[in-house]
Amino acid sequence: QVQLVESGGGSAQAGGSLRLSCAASGLTDNCMAWFRQAPEKEREGIAFIDRDSNSAYAESVKGRFTISRDNAQNTLYLQMNNLKPEDTATYYCAARRFPYCRYDAASMDYWGKGTLVTISS
């Protein structure tokens, strides 16, 4: 049974950093991703990583966020630097049944429950 559990959310000041983690069970060599959803906005895919650790980012976070995975620990990470108030959202870990990514929410098969990130100016 696949389970994704996020941690590491919280509050930070603009310009600060946070690191999110996602403990994954029941998965190996899958495409994994981070999505976020701000109030009254659609869910947005912000970072993707495939089984070969090739990564892709949304323009809104490129150069500030880094996605990585530790396959030995079955853990996905999102390092978030130079945070902005517009990064405030609930962040979700997601995984696909396949090793390579399509960059949309509909292609994801498994979801965590989310962790809230709040950035103040």
Side-chain angles (χ1 to χ4, degrees):
Q1 183 175 353
V2 175
Q3 191 172 21
L4 303 174
V5 180
E6 302 97 337
S7 61
S11 299
Q13 296 272 345
S17 299
L18 286 172
R19 188 173 83 153
L20 305 183
S21 300
C22 172
S25 58
L27 291 172
T28 55
D29 296 331
N30 296 73
C31 163
M32 298 192 73
W34 289 98
F35 286 73
R36 68 184 181 187
Q37 187 165 20
E40 301 182 358
K41 292 192 174 182
E42 291 188 0
R43 191 168 295 191
E44 173 191 21
I46 58 170
F48 299 81
I49 188 165
D50 67 21
R51 74 167 185 183
D52 300 325
S53 293
N54 298 307
S55 58
Y57 299 91
E59 285 297 322
S60 58
V61 305
K62 194 176 291 185
R64 300 188 298 122
F65 290 10
T66 302
I67 189 172
S68 61
R69 64 194 301 165
D70 183 334
N71 291 330
Q73 298 293 326
N74 287 332
T75 303
L76 179 74
Y77 299 101
L78 185 69
Q79 177 66 43
M80 305 187 294
N81 297 329
N82 190 21
L83 285 159
K84 304 176 180 180
E86 51 263 43
D87 294 320
T88 295
T90 298
Y91 284 70
Y92 297 91
C93 173
R96 194 165 183 245
R97 288 181 291 138
F98 305 102
Y100 299 106
C101 300
R102 281 176 43 193
Y103 306 113
D104 57 87
S107 69
M108 295 296 165
D109 299 294
Y110 310 104
W111 293 87
K113 293 183 178 180
T115 185
L116 180 63
V117 170
T118 304
I119 309 301
S120 57
S121 57

